[in-house]
């Protein structure tokens, strides 16, 4: 039993954080918005040199061969930087899904993903929309209990303009065929559920970074902004709002980290644990977004102020890979229909080492 | 990261479970806030002590088992799962004990810890004064050195367990010229000292759980000073850290309440409908989150970390969770919610009301949640005072 990260994991996190602080500035995000694409191949290539898209890809396919407990630390940083990019679909979902599908048609994509040459869009059961279908070199889409791998020429994508220009939504039409099918039946359903769980876990991890950034921005503003001759951060009404955000965040964090362990160890509680993480982290991030806006006042309500880069991320990640209502239902079903005992001593009762 | 238990940890769990099954009283003991309940709980503490389970994480020489904090968490889980009695000496074993471990001299450790571990001596806490509640630094009770004694004058109030305890720990102003948090000292006071008068105060549940304590030229040996003279504030902050988080409120208690709440909902699902379902499971999730955060904290402590201002996060989280769970239970109980345990129609649900009344104190004691929010804002988020 050890609920800490090792130094290599933390160093990797810090390295990604420092890199994105320089490369993924608010100016960069706004430039991507103006360009109408949530993908910058040059930046993605640099992230690939650090190993980000290939985090979960094995070393034989040019990846880092790490597991989800490291991935959540990195995704937290992508959230902190409000990075556009189809990172969740490509690195957290597609890479392990293709490896699990196992066929040559699937695994031939692993090295291009790890090298930053291929980005992927993923369709899943919790939403009719496919994110970043316009920039994907590969699309993994579902049809009934099957999973299909499609190239851009095989689909028709219609943009559904949405609230977050960093997460572009598309309705996608495609013709499924024997040639495009990666899996079906029981294994297809298993891949679909795993895709949803993995996407939700990465989105939850990004929400931690988003929440942390929003709280930091609000705290910094509350210190600098003076009214009645004092920083507004010296007023308890402001302090207490931000303190509550901090409580939400710090109690979401271990839930996300446990879910990462459950995915990595393929726990029987994997889906439940991921749903708890998605709910807790989204609550923390949307709570922080609402509060940070209130602390910034009218300034935060402008397009010019950068605050909404993260507010939009909080809202849009809440939608990604299952809304909180969807995930709450999953936890409710798991808890209320479970024959397993609840209560003290049950939390790690079935956990197996990695 | 490895969230599985080692074979040794699992073996300890099985051993503790078997011992508790064999020893936990079949009938609940009377409240330890009654004279007979207080003694019954002390007798239980002796049984626990003789079995080697009174103070799992303490060194053997001080009446403990010499195990690490993870082992202690496992014990706590089994303890609550077994429905074992509340710990009557919690102010001693969970708050003062760890503080003595950190700040006490060897002589003080040898003098106080073993009798604390066995509950031969039960401790009350003496934080608040009539004019020093949230504003703790406004303490006015004085301790003036006279030879090898302190002469104590003043008044403490809301002293938990004060009605029946043997000893009290608290802060007293040893430097008459000092102000605020400077010049305070942390002193251990035998409550049978001449000049000490204890006046029990009944709580909201009509039981005499805490007390006012008056000091009128009470002479206490200087060797009962804990930490340096004048350094009482920093000693007290360490105690408060234990009180707000890990030691006093391990997660097992809240997990048991959450599990009972889920069961209560399932028994009454037909009447209460789906609106309550989401809130019940939300409480269960929060109890899980508290457990996860506690395991994370313990892992961090075992790796050499310390408890700091983040204890304030814990305090807010568990106290609000405890209240939310009991409020929801009363909502599910409907008309039965106002029945006390003894009511003929209570049908075994009256302890939810008892628990609710107790949970109402959570956001107040150990530093109100408003004070905790100030601590979080100033010390964790860096906002100006």
């Amino acid at each position: 039993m050890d609920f800490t990260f090792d130094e290599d994991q933390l160093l990797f996190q810090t390295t990604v954080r420092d890199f994105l602080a320089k490369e993924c500035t608010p100016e960069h995000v706004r430039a991507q918005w103006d360009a109408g694409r949530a993908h910058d191949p040059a930046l993605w290539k640099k992230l690939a040199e650090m190993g980000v898209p290939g985090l979960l890809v094995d070393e034989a396919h040019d990846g880092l061969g790490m597991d989800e407990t490291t991935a959540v630390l990195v995704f937290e940083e992508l959230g902190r930087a409000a990075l556009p990019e189809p990172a969740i679909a490509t690195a957290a979902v597609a890479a392990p899904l293709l490896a699990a599908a196992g066929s040559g048609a699937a695994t031939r994509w692993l090295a291009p993903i790890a090298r930053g040459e291929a980005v992927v869009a993923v369709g899943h059961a919790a939403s009719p929309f496919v994110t970043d279908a316009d920039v994907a070199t590969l699309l993994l889409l579902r049809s009934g209990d099957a999973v299909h791998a499609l190239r851009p020429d095989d689909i028709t994508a219609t943009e559904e303009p949405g609230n977050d220009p960093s997460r572009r939504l598309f309705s996608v039409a495609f013709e499924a065929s024997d040639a495009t099918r990666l899996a079906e039946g029981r294994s297809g359903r298993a891949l679909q559920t795993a895709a949803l769980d993995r996407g939700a876990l990465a989105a939850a991890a990004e929400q931690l970074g988003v929440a942390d950034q929003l709280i930091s921005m609000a705290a910094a503003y509350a210190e600098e902004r003076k009214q009645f001759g004092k920083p507004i951060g010296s007023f308890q009404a402001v302090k207490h709002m931000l303190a509550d955000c901090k409580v939400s965040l710090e109690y979401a964090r271990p839930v996300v980290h446990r879910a990462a362990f459950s995915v990595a160890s393929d726990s029987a509680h994997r889906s439940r644990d991921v749903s708890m993480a998605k709910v807790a982290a989204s609550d923390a991030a949307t709570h922080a977004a609402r509060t940070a806006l209130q602390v910034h006042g009218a300034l935060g309500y402008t397009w010019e102020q950068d605050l909404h880069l993260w507010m939009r991320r909080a809202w849009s990640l809440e939608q990604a890979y299952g809304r909180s209502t969807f995930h709450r239902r999953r936890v409710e079903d798991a808890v209320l229909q479970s024959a397993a005992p609840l209560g003290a001593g049950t939390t790690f009762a079935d956990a197996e080492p990695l | 990261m490895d969230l599985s238990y080692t074979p040794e940890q699992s073996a300890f769990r099985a051993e503790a479970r078997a011992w508790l099954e064999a020893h936990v009283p079949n009938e609940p003991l009377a409240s330890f806030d009654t004279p007979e309940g207080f003694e019954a709980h002390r007798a239980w503490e002796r049984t626990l002590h003789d079995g080697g389970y009174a103070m799992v994480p303490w060194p053997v020489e001080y009446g403990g088992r010499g195990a690490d904090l993870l082992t202690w968490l496992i014990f706590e889980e089994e303890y609550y799962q077994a429905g074992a009695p509340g710990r009557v000496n919690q102010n001693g074993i969970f708050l003062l004990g760890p503080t003595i471990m950190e700040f006490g001299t060897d002589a003080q450790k040898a003098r106080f810890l073993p009798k604390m571990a066995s509950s031969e001596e039960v401790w009350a806490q003496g934080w608040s004064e009539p004019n020093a509640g949230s504003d703790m630094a406004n303490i006015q009770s004085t301790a003036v050195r006279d030879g090898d004694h302190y002469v104590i004058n003043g008044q403490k109030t809301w002293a938990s367990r004060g009605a029946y305890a043997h000893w009290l720990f608290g802060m007293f102003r040893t430097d008459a010229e000092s102000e605020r948090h400077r010049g305070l000292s942390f002193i251990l006071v035998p409550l049978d000292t001449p000049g000490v008068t204890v006046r029990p105060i009944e709580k909201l549940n009509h039981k005499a759980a805490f007390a006012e304590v008056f000091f009128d030229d009470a002479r206490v040996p200087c060797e009962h000073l804990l930490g340096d003279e004048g350094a009482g504030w920093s000693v007290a902050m360490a105690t408060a850290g234990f009180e707000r988080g890990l030691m006093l409120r391990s997660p097992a208690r809240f997990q048991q309440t959450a599990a009972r709440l889920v069961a209560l909902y399932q028994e009454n699902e037909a009447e209460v409908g789906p609106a309550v379902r989401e809130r019940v499971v939300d409480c269960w999730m929060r109890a899980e989150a508290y457990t996860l955060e506690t395991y994370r904290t313990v892992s961090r402590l075992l790796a050499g970390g310390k408890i700091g201002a983040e204890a304030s996060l814990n305090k807010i989280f568990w106290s609000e969770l405890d209240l939310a769970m009991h409020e929801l239970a009363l909502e599910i109980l409907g008309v039965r919610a106002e029945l006390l345990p003894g009511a003929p129609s209570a049908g075994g649900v009256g302890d939810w009301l008892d628990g609710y009344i107790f949970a109402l104190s959570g956001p107040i004691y150990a530093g109100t949640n408003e004070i905790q929010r100030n601590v979080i804002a100033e010390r964790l988020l860096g906002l100006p005072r």
Side-chain angles (χ1 to χ4, degrees):
Chain A
M1 176 64 66
D2 176 13
F3 212 141
T4 60
F5 295 96
D6 66 35
E7 280 181 23
D8 289 345
Q9 292 176 303
L10 296 172
L11 180 64
F12 192 16
Q13 178 182 23
T14 313
T15 309
V16 174
R17 179 189 301 197
D18 295 345
F19 171 79
L20 289 174
K22 285 202 250 349
E23 299 280 336
C24 184
T25 58
E27 295 70 37
H28 170 79
V29 176
R30 286 177 185 271
Q32 290 300 121
W33 288 10
D34 291 342
R37 286 160 61 87
H39 178 47
D40 170 11
L43 177 59
W44 191 247
K45 195 80 187 157
K46 288 187 199 170
L47 280 165
E49 281 159 21
M50 300 178 75
V52 172
L55 247 170
L56 301 177
V57 174
D58 61 357
E59 292 174 64
H61 291 95
D62 297 341
L64 295 181
M66 290 179 166
D67 69 31
E68 290 74 9
T69 63
T70 306
V72 287
L73 296 177
V74 172
F75 276 93
E76 179 178 343
E77 296 313 318
L78 308 190
R80 191 188 312 282
L83 179 77
E85 304 299 333
I88 296 177
T90 304
V93 181
L97 187 153
L98 291 163
S103 63
T107 54
R108 74 183 179 89
W109 287 99
L110 294 175
I113 285 174
R115 289 197 296 260
E117 292 155 5
V119 294
V120 189
V122 172
H124 58 81
S127 171
F129 309 120
V130 178
T131 304
D132 300 323
D134 57 334
V135 295
T137 33
L138 173 71
L139 297 99
L140 298 174
L141 302 174
R142 53 187 284 280
S143 170
D145 62 12
V147 176
H148 294 271
L150 298 127
R151 304 301 307 275
D153 289 347
D154 304 332
I155 61 143
T156 312
T158 310
E159 183 161 12
E160 307 273 2
N163 192 27
D164 181 7
S166 293
R167 179 172 159 272
R168 293 184 177 268
L169 306 175
F170 295 83
S171 289
V172 176
F174 66 100
E175 291 284 329
S177 70
D178 289 350
T180 60
R181 191 183 308 111
L182 282 184
E184 64 182 330
R186 201 172 148 182
S187 62
R189 281 194 301 274
L191 286 183
Q192 288 183 11
T193 308
L196 183 59
D197 286 350
R198 290 174 174 284
L201 173 66
E206 285 203 8
Q207 288 285 46
L208 296 179
V210 171
D212 210 358
Q213 174 68 14
L214 283 163
I215 294 168
S216 301
M217 289 175 83
Y221 182 73
E223 211 177 338
E224 158 204 320
R225 169 71 175 164
K226 290 192 175 63
Q227 287 287 272
F228 308 101
K230 297 182 204 174
I232 61 169
S234 65
F235 298 119
Q236 285 194 337
V238 173
K239 280 182 178 169
H240 289 191
M241 281 198 300
L242 287 170
D244 282 336
C245 290
K246 181 73 172 163
V247 173
S248 301
L249 170 61
E250 293 309 324
Y251 276 92
R253 201 182 288 284
V255 182
V256 174
H257 295 167
R258 192 268 295 263
F261 184 84
S262 295
V263 172
S265 60
D266 201 19
S267 156
H269 303 300
R270 183 193 72 192
S271 293
R272 182 201 69 183
D273 293 349
V274 166
S275 285
M276 286 171 65
K278 184 69 174 20
V279 168
S282 281
D283 281 358
T286 52
H287 181 191
R290 175 75 184 77
T291 305
L293 172 60
Q294 188 69 17
V295 169
H296 279 77
L299 184 66
Y301 197 70
T302 63
W303 188 265
E304 189 184 349
Q305 224 287 339
D306 289 330
L307 190 69
H308 70 118
L309 271 56
W310 284 271
M311 280 168 33
R312 280 174 205 284
R313 292 262 78 192
W315 299 330
S316 113
L317 287 167
E318 196 269 325
Q319 291 273 2
Y321 293 94
R323 298 205 64 179
S324 291
T325 42
F326 169 88
H327 287 290
R328 283 186 190 279
R329 288 299 95 78
R330 281 213 312 182
V331 182
E332 287 165 23
D333 292 345
V335 170
L336 297 174
Q337 290 163 18
S338 160
L342 304 172
T346 59
T347 304
F348 304 108
D350 312 325
E352 298 284 344
L354 290 177
Chain B
M1 183 184 292
D2 178 6
L3 302 186
S4 65
Y5 294 109
T6 62
E8 293 73 25
Q9 287 164 341
S10 298
F12 172 78
R13 182 188 292 283
E15 187 192 320
R17 182 174 296 179
W19 188 91
L20 287 162
E21 264 172 29
H23 291 85
V24 169
N26 292 326
E27 293 296 314
L29 307 181
S31 161
F32 56 47
D33 292 331
T34 62
E36 64 281 9
F38 180 79
E39 288 309 326
H41 278 81
R42 280 182 78 203
W44 160 249
E45 287 289 337
R46 274 192 296 279
T47 306
L48 205 51
H49 185 255
D50 294 346
Y53 289 102
M55 292 317 305
V56 170
W58 283 16
V60 175
E61 60 193 299
Y62 301 135
R65 197 181 185 89
D68 66 17
L69 282 174
L70 272 171
T71 310
W72 172 72
L73 274 184
I74 293 167
F75 175 73
E76 286 277 293
E77 289 169 351
E78 292 306 314
Y79 193 85
Y80 279 92
Q81 188 70 256
R87 306 297 299 268
V88 65
N89 204 10
Q90 55 185 328
N91 295 307
I93 59 181
F94 294 144
L95 308 185
L96 180 61
T99 313
I100 290 180
M101 225 68 92
E102 193 170 332
F103 292 93
T105 61
D106 287 346
Q108 286 174 325
K109 290 175 190 171
R111 162 64 189 83
F112 291 112
L113 295 175
K115 287 183 179 175
M116 189 185 289
S118 66
S119 287
E120 183 181 335
E121 292 173 344
V122 176
W123 288 80
Q125 51 174 322
W127 293 134
S128 299
E129 295 185 0
N131 290 308
S134 287
D135 186 10
M136 180 75 66
N138 196 36
I139 281 174
Q140 282 155 23
S141 293
T142 56
V144 177
R145 230 180 224 276
D146 178 23
D148 53 4
H149 281 72
Y150 285 112
V151 180
I152 298 184
N153 280 284
Q155 180 188 350
K156 294 287 175 186
T157 191
W158 321 132
S160 293
R161 290 304 92 62
Y164 310 109
H166 310 100
W167 282 75
L168 171 141
F169 61 86
M171 270 191 290
F172 299 88
R173 199 162 289 284
T174 39
D175 176 356
E177 306 298 307
S178 68
E179 286 186 352
R180 307 296 300 160
H181 54 272
R182 285 174 290 276
L184 295 169
S185 296
F186 197 111
I187 299 175
L188 314 175
V189 183
L191 285 170
D192 60 0
T193 305
V196 174
T197 309
V198 175
R199 196 158 78 195
I201 304 172
E202 292 185 342
K203 285 194 305 189
L204 198 57
N205 67 0
H206 206 246
K207 291 184 181 117
F210 47 18
E212 305 179 275
V213 183
F214 299 88
F215 304 88
D216 186 10
D217 285 336
R219 295 177 68 84
V220 175
C222 291
E223 67 211 42
H224 294 344
L225 171 75
L226 185 62
D228 293 335
E229 188 175 286
W233 185 263
S234 58
V235 181
M237 286 306 103
T239 313
F242 298 124
E243 183 175 22
R244 288 166 185 173
L246 183 62
M247 296 307 290
L248 184 66
R249 292 292 173 249
S250 85
R253 180 178 148 211
F254 305 108
Q255 288 186 284
Q256 286 303 98
T257 307
R260 284 171 56 224
L261 180 65
V262 169
L264 182 71
Y265 167 73
Q266 287 173 321
E267 286 157 22
N268 296 278
E269 196 169 358
E271 289 139 69
V272 297
V276 174
R277 179 183 153 104
E278 178 171 318
R279 288 161 63 202
V280 168
V281 175
D282 191 66
C283 284
W284 180 84
M285 285 197 270
R286 285 158 71 186
E288 280 288 291
Y290 189 67
T291 307
L292 295 168
E293 173 58 14
T294 304
Y295 270 83
R296 196 185 71 87
T297 301
V298 166
S299 290
R300 201 167 55 77
L301 291 174
L302 291 177
K306 284 212 171 289
I307 297 186
E310 59 275 17
S312 292
L313 300 165
N314 302 346
K315 166 72 205 310
I316 290 174
F317 196 84
W318 64 250
S319 60
E320 293 191 344
L321 168 61
D322 201 29
L323 197 47
M325 290 193 290
H326 285 88
E327 281 171 344
L328 195 47
L330 296 189
E331 203 174 312
I332 293 170
L333 286 172
V335 292
R336 289 179 296 161
E338 58 181 333
L339 298 182
L340 287 167
S345 297
V349 299
D351 49 349
W352 280 111
L353 178 59
D354 255 7
Y356 171 66
I357 299 285
F358 180 65
L360 282 171
S361 66
I364 301 171
Y365 69 83
T368 65
N369 286 9
E370 288 66 38
I371 292 295
Q372 310 300 339
R373 288 186 171 92
N374 288 351
V375 171
I376 293 165
E378 289 160 17
R379 295 192 39 208
L380 298 180
L381 301 178
L383 292 177
R385 289 181 66 86

